[in-house]
Amino acid sequence: MIKEIITVSFFGLFLGSISVQAGSEVEFDLPSLISKATAYHPSIKSNIFLEDSAKNEITSAKWQYFPTPKFSVSQVDRSSMGANHTYKDGDNRVSVISLTQPLWASGYIDAGLEKSKAKLLSARAVTKVAQQDLALKVISAYSKWYDSYLKKELYKKSKKKYGALRARLRIRIKQGLSSNVDLNLVDSRLIQADAGLNSAIIQYENSLLNLEELLGTPLDSKDLIRDFSIVKFENNQLKLSKRALLINPRIKQIKAEGLVIEAELKQSRAKLYPGINFKFERQWGNFTKEVNGPESRFFIELNSSFGAGLSNFSQIKQIRSRYQSLQKRLTYEKNKVAQQIELDWMYSISLKKQKALLESSLVNTKKVQKSYYRQFLAGRKTWQEVMNSIREVSQLETQLAGVYGEMIVVNWRIFVLIEGVGAVVTPSNQNLAFKADKILWYSIINPKQQQSDVDKMLNFVIPDEKPVKKITQKEKVSSKQVPTKNWNKTTRDQTKTTSDPKQQQSDSDKKPVKKITQKEKVSSKQVPTKNWNKTTSDHTKTN
């Protein structure tokens, strides 16, 4: 018995270790983070329940075409009445059951059905708006995390470089080749690098906490993929604006609200006209006379209701004013979306140029830095000039890290605005997505639900939304095929970087939209990558 318990415990621990290892292997890039956030966030689930409520409202609106049953029971207390009262010959209790079938309602029932369908469209648009806002928040938080990660690594590298120079300088001071003032300058720059590292660590932790709040689960920085994704678009800002206006969920929401108001206006106008109903009634008992059995009657009713006074006319004016206000709001939202696309488009072009300029300047500044150090050893440059050149390299690298973070925000925001969240989160990322009862693409992945008996009887089918047609092609470039830029690399693995302007120009002229992804996983094993630093063997000779 003891052996069996030990065996079972051993296998339990073994399976538990396997599950922990499998869980630790889960890695998240930007699309999978968006998928995880949209699957967890309560605002998305709340809007999905509102969609279910709108579907039930459509079912209720279709029931208005069916007869309305009614049942009533009335009873009279004869002991409290005199001898000559009206009900002396009748029955004490009367029961009535009736069915009323509308024959013509002046379009009121049809308008009610249109209103409920428009509310469903509005609820779906509200869900899309919540998904888009959440996706943009995740993109912003991820870009800040990526920016802070690069700066943290850069400041670590700067501290290491200042520490190595400080050790060399102490040797020169002992030899009488340098003064203590030079050592104070190195200490000052080392403290500045430490302060910058502390600021980067705070930003790094804050951005990670922000991501955890959006995703609703703790995150390990080792599980996050440093994904610098650049989305290339065709060089036509007007086409991008038209595409964004076509799929923008807020514009769809306003249009759906306009359909709701139009249906309300039809209902208010229908109240001004009489309705025709067919009524069947069966009565058991009679208060005024004695009857032997139940009585059946058939009626054709003509009903009309103008409301209290002439309130229907005032209601029509109020609905028209709401509709005009909604049209102005629609115009404002269209201008806002078009302006956002234009600003992001201009900013994206500016960041692309700034990135190329900073990269070129960084290469030249590093050459100057190494040249200044060699000239310092030869007595041609001062120690302060060497420190200034190192600081310039650090500043350029920090600016370049900020540009990378801004490019992630701008490019991905344009992509979300012109393609929608559905183009970012696809079923192919399901293995990285958070398990939830309803995920972002629930209408595509989940099997179609069977109709209930009531829906079959009403011939009621809620069509699922068609998936967004993607006009982009996403290619994940592995590190084995294309070498990537790395900020942390030893001098032994550093290689010379070259830039080919013709190749860059040919890439920018391509019209198809492609997403080129460079991913660096946080691990000890790295593929040799390009680096801005050159080995000392490549140094040119100075006169």
Side-chain angles (χ1 to χ4, degrees):
M1 181 67 180
I2 297 176
K3 292 182 178 180
E4 294 178 355
I5 294 176
I6 294 175
T7 304
V8 172
S9 302
F10 173 75
F11 279 106
L13 293 174
F14 178 72
L15 293 175
S17 63
I18 292 177
S19 63
V20 170
Q21 292 177 0
S24 62
E25 293 176 356
V26 177
E27 297 171 343
F28 299 100
D29 56 359
L30 186 52
S32 60
L33 288 175
I34 296 176
S35 172
K36 193 177 179 68
T38 51
Y40 152 76
H41 210 270
S43 63
I44 307 298
K45 294 183 178 181
S46 174
N47 291 325
I48 291 176
F49 284 117
L50 291 179
E51 290 184 21
D52 296 337
S53 174
K55 293 178 182 179
N56 294 329
E57 187 174 352
I58 293 180
T59 305
S60 176
K62 286 200 169 186
W63 275 117
Q64 303 303 315
Y65 292 99
F66 286 76
T68 302
K70 184 179 181 181
F71 178 75
S72 64
V73 178
S74 303
Q75 187 170 349
V76 176
D77 185 9
R78 297 180 184 277
S79 60
S80 61
M81 298 180 182
N84 296 325
H85 61 81
T86 307
Y87 303 135
K88 63 180 180 178
D89 296 331
D91 298 324
N92 294 334
R93 182 180 299 169
V94 176
S95 302
V96 179
I97 184 173
S98 63
L99 287 175
T100 304
Q101 172 64 48
L103 300 179
W104 186 67
S106 304
Y108 184 84
I109 299 178
D110 296 337
L113 182 59
E114 293 178 4
K115 179 181 176 181
S116 59
K117 290 182 178 180
K119 285 185 176 180
L120 176 59
L121 295 177
S122 178
R124 286 176 172 173
V126 171
T127 303
K128 296 294 184 183
V129 169
Q131 291 172 353
Q132 185 183 83
D133 293 342
L134 186 61
L136 294 178
K137 290 181 181 178
V138 173
I139 291 171
S140 177
Y142 182 83
S143 67
K144 291 179 180 179
W145 173 85
Y146 186 82
D147 179 22
S148 60
Y149 168 79
L150 293 179
K151 291 180 179 178
K152 181 168 67 71
E153 298 298 324
L154 287 173
Y155 284 121
K156 285 182 180 180
K157 187 177 71 173
S158 296
K159 285 189 62 178
K160 186 177 180 180
K161 184 182 296 184
Y162 283 128
L165 291 176
R166 189 176 187 275
R168 295 179 185 178
L169 191 61
R170 291 178 66 90
I171 297 175
R172 289 178 59 86
I173 292 175
K174 291 180 180 180
Q175 296 175 351
L177 301 176
S178 299
S179 62
N180 291 327
V181 178
D182 295 338
L183 185 61
N184 294 335
L185 181 59
V186 176
D187 292 337
S188 175
R189 298 294 172 83
L190 188 60
I191 294 174
Q192 293 177 8
D194 197 6
L197 177 61
N198 184 52
S199 177
I201 290 175
I202 293 175
Q203 184 182 358
Y204 181 83
E205 293 177 351
N206 289 339
S207 58
L208 192 62
L209 288 175
N210 193 10
L211 280 175
E212 291 179 352
E213 182 182 358
L214 293 173
L215 272 62
T217 182
L219 288 175
D220 189 355
S221 59
K222 296 180 180 179
D223 296 334
L224 292 177
I225 300 176
R226 300 193 296 275
D227 181 11
F228 180 65
S229 302
I230 302 176
V231 185
K232 292 185 178 180
F233 309 99
E234 56 181 351
N235 298 323
N236 195 325
Q237 184 262 325
L238 294 178
K239 288 185 178 180
L240 297 180
S241 299
K242 291 180 180 179
R243 176 67 178 172
L245 293 174
L246 184 63
I247 69 169
N248 187 266
R250 282 189 172 84
I251 294 178
K252 290 184 178 180
Q253 178 188 354
I254 296 175
K255 290 182 178 180
E257 292 176 0
L259 295 177
V260 173
I261 294 178
E262 290 178 0
E264 290 179 358
L265 182 60
K266 291 180 181 179
Q267 283 185 323
S268 298
R269 289 176 176 175
K271 289 181 181 179
L272 302 176
Y273 299 93
I276 302 176
N277 301 326
F278 174 78
K279 184 176 182 180
F280 166 75
E281 186 177 274
R282 190 171 180 85
Q283 178 176 331
W284 287 266
N286 196 308
F287 289 129
T288 58
K289 62 180 179 178
E290 184 177 356
V291 294
N292 296 328
E295 298 178 348
S296 299
R297 293 180 289 271
F298 297 92
F299 302 92
I300 297 294
E301 295 182 341
L302 187 66
N303 297 325
S304 182
S305 176
F306 293 98
L310 300 177
S311 61
N312 280 349
F313 295 98
S314 300
Q315 186 178 10
I316 290 175
K317 293 181 180 180
Q318 179 258 344
I319 293 174
R320 287 177 176 173
S321 299
R322 286 171 51 200
Y323 186 79
Q324 294 175 356
S325 174
L326 197 65
Q327 295 302 312
K328 298 299 181 182
R329 179 184 165 194
L330 179 61
T331 303
Y332 166 75
E333 192 65 35
K334 288 182 177 180
N335 295 335
K336 182 179 177 181
V337 172
Q339 184 180 10
Q340 183 67 45
I341 293 293
E342 184 178 1
L343 293 176
D344 287 344
W345 172 259
M346 296 172 61
Y347 193 30
S348 176
I349 296 176
S350 176
L351 287 175
K352 185 178 179 180
K353 294 180 180 179
Q354 188 176 358
K355 173 177 171 291
L357 293 174
L358 288 176
E359 289 175 350
S360 177
S361 177
L362 183 61
V363 173
N364 296 329
T365 307
K366 284 191 174 183
K367 293 179 180 179
V368 172
Q369 171 195 337
K370 295 176 181 179
S371 176
Y372 274 23
Y373 184 73
R374 292 193 303 269
Q375 293 183 46
F376 167 75
L377 297 178
R380 298 178 181 178
K381 293 292 182 181
T382 63
W383 183 248
Q384 184 175 2
E385 291 175 332
V386 174
M387 289 292 99
N388 290 339
S389 64
I390 296 176
R391 183 172 59 182
E392 290 178 3
V393 171
S394 179
Q395 290 176 350
L396 286 174
E397 290 177 341
T398 305
Q399 292 177 10
L400 194 59
V403 170
Y404 284 161
E406 289 296 325
M407 289 183 70
I408 291 177
V409 174
V410 174
N411 282 272
W412 277 96
R413 183 164 57 204
I414 294 176
F415 184 77
V416 169
L417 290 177
I418 68 172
E419 293 296 326
V421 182
V424 180
V425 183
T426 58
S428 60
N429 296 324
Q430 187 181 7
N431 56 343
L432 301 178
F434 181 64
K435 302 289 185 179
D437 52 346
K438 288 187 177 181
I439 56 180
L440 180 60
W441 52 87
Y442 62 94
S443 61
I444 303 175
I445 292 181
N446 290 349
K448 189 175 182 180
Q449 299 180 355
Q450 297 293 332
Q451 290 183 342
S452 62
D453 295 334
V454 176
D455 290 338
K456 289 180 180 180
M457 182 176 62
L458 295 176
N459 192 21
F460 170 57
V461 179
I462 294 294
D464 294 334
E465 283 192 280
K466 296 182 179 179
V468 179
K469 184 178 180 181
K470 293 178 287 185
I471 61 173
T472 62
Q473 298 177 358
K474 299 183 181 179
E475 297 179 358
K476 293 187 177 180
V477 182
S478 62
S479 58
K480 296 181 180 180
Q481 296 176 355
V482 179
T484 58
K485 294 180 182 178
N486 198 333
W487 295 95
N488 299 325
K489 204 63 182 176
T490 58
T491 56
R492 295 180 180 178
D493 297 333
Q494 292 173 351
T495 58
K496 186 176 181 180
T497 60
T498 58
S499 60
D500 190 359
K502 296 182 179 180
Q503 182 66 23
Q504 295 178 358
Q505 184 177 2
S506 61
D507 292 338
S508 61
D509 294 336
K510 294 181 180 179
K511 292 186 178 180
V513 181
K514 291 188 177 180
K515 171 187 165 187
I516 302 176
T517 308
Q518 297 179 357
K519 298 186 178 178
E520 299 174 7
K521 300 183 179 178
V522 182
S523 62
S524 58
K525 297 181 180 181
Q526 295 182 353
V527 180
T529 58
K530 293 183 179 179
N531 197 297
W532 298 105
N533 297 328
K534 300 178 183 177
T535 58
T536 55
S537 60
D538 295 333
H539 292 165
T540 57
K541 297 181 180 180
T542 59
N543 295 323

